[in-house]
Amino acid sequence: MASRDVLEVIQGKWRIPIIISLTYGNKRFGEIQRDIADVSPKMLSQELKALEMNKIITRTLFDSMPVTVEYSLTPLGLSMNKLLEEILEWGIHFRKEVVGK
């Protein structure tokens, strides 16, 4: 069941890139969108909501004019760092073995 839970949280094309973007610090919506070139605003919004619901990220509203919203990783999200490093290493290996040939 635990492996299913992990796959449920990180499934899809955009969630891991969003999490990686936030590993470099808190960001606003537009900053995340610039980090991930191909994601549409609608898809980014949906994925941010899903990650927030799963307690991977947190959304903070600042009382400014205009209202500013910032996203950051929760301690649970930060704990994914080793997993992300392993995925990156395996991805490099995969590209060399399969894509590179």
Side-chain angles (χ1 to χ4, degrees):
M1 290 299 291
S3 60
R4 273 187 170 165
D5 293 341
V6 171
L7 292 174
E8 181 69 28
V9 170
I10 65 170
Q11 75 176 343
K13 185 176 179 180
W14 305 114
R15 291 186 188 175
I16 289 177
I18 291 167
I19 295 165
I20 290 170
S21 173
L22 291 172
T23 61
Y24 296 100
N26 302 350
K27 295 190 177 169
R28 296 193 327 240
F29 186 92
E31 294 171 316
I32 299 169
Q33 192 172 17
R34 279 191 293 279
D35 283 349
I36 308 166
D38 297 340
V39 68
S40 70
K42 180 181 178 183
M43 182 57 67
L44 179 56
S45 180
Q46 287 176 353
E47 296 295 14
L48 287 168
K49 285 177 187 171
L51 289 168
E52 184 180 13
M53 189 175 65
N54 285 300
K55 300 183 181 181
I56 302 299
I57 66 169
T58 187
R59 180 178 184 264
T60 305
L61 283 130
F62 292 96
D63 190 20
S64 59
M65 275 313 248
V67 173
T68 305
V69 178
E70 192 174 81
Y71 297 91
S72 59
L73 291 174
T74 63
L76 182 61
L78 288 167
S79 73
M80 295 177 73
N81 197 29
K82 283 185 181 179
L83 172 65
L84 297 173
E85 288 173 7
E86 289 294 327
I87 288 172
L88 176 62
E89 280 186 38
W90 188 85
I92 291 167
H93 175 70
F94 174 78
R95 290 191 74 76
K96 285 180 185 173
E97 292 291 320
V98 176
V99 178
K101 290 185 177 180

